[in-house]
Amino acid sequence: GGDGMNALLAAWEDSVIPLLRRFMEQDKGYFSQFEVDDFMQQIREQLLMGNDQQAKQIAMRIVGGAGSSIRFPTLNDEAANADADASAVRLDQVATGHYVQVQSSPFARDAPSWWCSAMQRTLGKVGRVVAVDPREQLVLVRFVDSEAGSLEQWWYNCTALEWPRVALDTVTATSAAATTTASAADSGGSGGGAGGS
């Protein structure tokens, strides 16, 4: 119902509408500011009525052949993502000490500037929030690898994070065991990681 439509509109507002605006505004002589605003309003109205196909047709009329590279969110995506919405991490909800999970495929297209290839191994992993930077909209997440006896932390944009799907007590137990192992290793323990499982 209505939540799906709002989620669909939000998905378009995040990914498609800014792209269409940039496309129209770069061609100053062709589209007036009034036309840009009018087209965006038509798209929003179609999305709110659940007509994602009409919205896509309007967008394609604007961009023509360039539209083939755009990934348009659809109502079906958003229905499938309704529970993903519930699991999405928002900056105003996350705090130090919370457990978060890195999405297994966080980017529709190219990786953003804050991402580096070494972060690839954290996809799908659960970590603990160490810090939140609201100005940069980033969250510092710490991961403990009890088998390798290592600790690493990376800054993520909230869009790449979700609330963990696994039962939280499992995460907490695993993390507590890892912390104990890390502490033992830090205090000059006998070099090895945690015993087998």
Side-chain angles (χ1 to χ4, degrees):
D3 288 348
M5 312 300 177
N6 292 341
L8 180 62
L9 179 58
W12 275 65
E13 292 281 5
D14 280 350
S15 58
V16 181
I17 288 178
L19 219 121
L20 294 174
R21 262 191 192 284
R22 277 197 303 278
F23 181 88
M24 292 173 83
E25 287 167 354
Q26 76 189 5
D27 198 348
K28 290 276 184 251
Y30 196 74
F31 293 103
S32 71
Q33 189 58 51
F34 172 78
E35 288 174 304
V36 173
D37 294 340
D38 186 55
F39 270 119
M40 296 309 122
Q41 193 52 41
Q42 287 179 36
I43 288 172
R44 286 184 183 104
E45 286 169 8
Q46 292 302 325
L47 292 170
L48 284 171
M49 292 187 291
N51 299 332
D52 52 321
Q53 288 309 310
Q54 306 313 97
K56 184 178 175 179
Q57 284 170 5
I58 296 168
M60 292 304 281
R61 277 205 307 269
I62 296 169
V63 296
S68 60
S69 63
I70 299 176
R71 188 193 146 315
F72 292 99
T74 65
L75 200 51
N76 295 342
D77 291 347
E78 295 317 309
N81 290 343
D83 22 311
D85 273 359
S87 69
V89 172
R90 290 201 335 255
L91 202 63
D92 60 352
Q93 298 172 318
V94 71
T96 306
H98 284 166
Y99 288 94
V100 291
Q101 184 166 7
V102 181
Q103 294 179 16
S104 32
S105 53
F107 322 115
R109 284 184 297 281
D110 303 333
S113 57
W114 54 265
W115 183 264
C116 71
S117 57
M119 295 168 85
Q120 200 71 29
R121 66 177 169 264
T122 67
L123 295 178
K125 294 245 182 338
V126 174
R128 195 166 198 176
V129 175
V130 186
V132 178
D133 182 343
R135 203 180 73 248
E136 295 296 324
Q137 305 234 326
L138 295 172
V139 177
L140 184 61
V141 182
R142 174 180 294 159
F143 301 92
V144 177
D145 182 342
S146 53
E147 288 179 30
S150 68
L151 182 88
E152 60 181 340
Q153 42 192 46
W154 298 97
W155 287 100
Y156 294 88
N157 187 294
C158 275
T159 56
L161 301 173
E162 58 193 6
W163 298 112
R165 295 208 164 96
V166 290
L168 215 51
D169 47 321
T170 315
V171 175
T172 311
T174 312
S175 190
T179 307
T180 310
T181 306
S183 311
D186 288 347
S187 61
S190 57
S197 45

